Amino acid sequence: MRVVGRYQVPGGDPLRPTTTGVNFGVKLPTGKTNIANDDGELAERTLQPGTGTTDAILGAYFHQRLPQFDAAWFAQFQYQRALNSHEDFKPGDRFGFDVGYRHGLTDKLGALIQLNVSIKRRDSGDEAEPDDSGGRFVFVSPGLSYALSQTLQVYGFVQLPVYQYVNGVQLTASRAFVVGVSGRF
């Protein structure tokens, strides 16, 4: 579970309104860290759903609407760092950078495209496998959004790898799907 707050400042030209802000929060230690196979053998720590750690999250973003084109673009950066370790395991720091563009197709439907960059440092601790953790990833993510109301929208992306480099031997996906709901109040 992640709890993230946002402080934003509107501004810019009324014909091209902008929003700039910062994100700050924590990832809580809610995921399981003791999943075992049918023989009772625990999975490697990097394969567990949770890390058992509390992580700090800090980021910044910029968003600009382009009303004359029924479009918008954004850029954001995020950094995540474990504040503690759990049972001799501490996940590596994560850096993320995203830039994206939305173009209106109809009053409610929008086409989306994003470039996502992620860098994960090696895990540490006696239960970590630093030689087989961490990496660098670049994805292109096309998608669609649909406005259910002026303040609520649903969206979906397919995330396609353009570049993947992992340390050692790790599982990677040939694609990922993201579906979400976004609201403003």
Side-chain angles (χ1 to χ4, degrees):
M1 175 186 285
R2 294 165 42 117
V3 179
V4 179
R6 176 184 291 199
Y7 177 77
Q8 66 184 32
V9 179
D13 180 339
L15 297 177
R16 294 179 146 194
T18 64
T19 304
T20 305
V22 294
N23 295 326
F24 49 91
V26 294
K27 179 204 65 82
L28 301 172
T30 54
K32 290 185 178 188
T33 61
N34 61 352
I35 302 295
N37 64 18
D38 290 341
D39 295 330
E41 187 176 322
L42 286 178
E44 299 168 10
R45 288 301 302 267
T46 56
L47 297 178
Q48 295 288 345
T51 62
T53 61
T54 300
D55 300 9
I57 299 169
L58 183 61
Y61 64 92
F62 176 84
H63 178 271
Q64 183 175 41
R65 285 186 35 224
L66 306 168
Q68 66 273 32
F69 303 113
D70 190 19
W73 75 277
F74 78 93
Q76 68 183 14
F77 168 80
Q78 184 169 286
Y79 172 66
Q80 182 173 324
R81 179 181 179 91
L83 299 174
N84 61 339
S85 62
H86 177 70
E87 297 176 354
D88 295 321
F89 178 80
K90 185 175 185 179
D93 295 356
R94 291 181 182 265
F95 302 88
F97 176 74
D98 305 298
V99 62
Y101 179 79
R102 179 201 178 276
H103 185 81
L105 300 175
T106 69
D107 288 348
K108 295 185 179 244
L109 184 66
L112 310 168
I113 188 77
Q114 290 186 14
L115 181 68
N116 313 110
V117 177
S118 179
I119 300 169
K120 184 181 180 294
R121 303 254 173 144
R122 295 175 192 261
D123 301 332
S124 61
D126 288 342
E127 291 297 314
E129 296 181 21
D131 292 341
D132 292 324
S133 65
R136 298 180 298 276
F137 309 89
V138 178
F139 302 95
V140 63
S141 305
L144 294 170
S145 68
Y146 185 79
L148 299 172
S149 71
Q150 286 196 12
T151 60
L152 187 66
Q153 72 172 346
V154 294
Y155 60 89
F157 292 97
V158 59
Q159 196 172 50
L160 305 168
V162 175
Y163 172 79
Q164 293 187 74
Y165 174 83
V166 297
N167 298 315
V169 177
Q170 298 182 49
L171 297 174
T172 60
S174 61
R175 65 188 157 281
F177 298 93
V178 177
V179 177
V181 177
S182 175
R184 292 179 295 166
F185 53 94

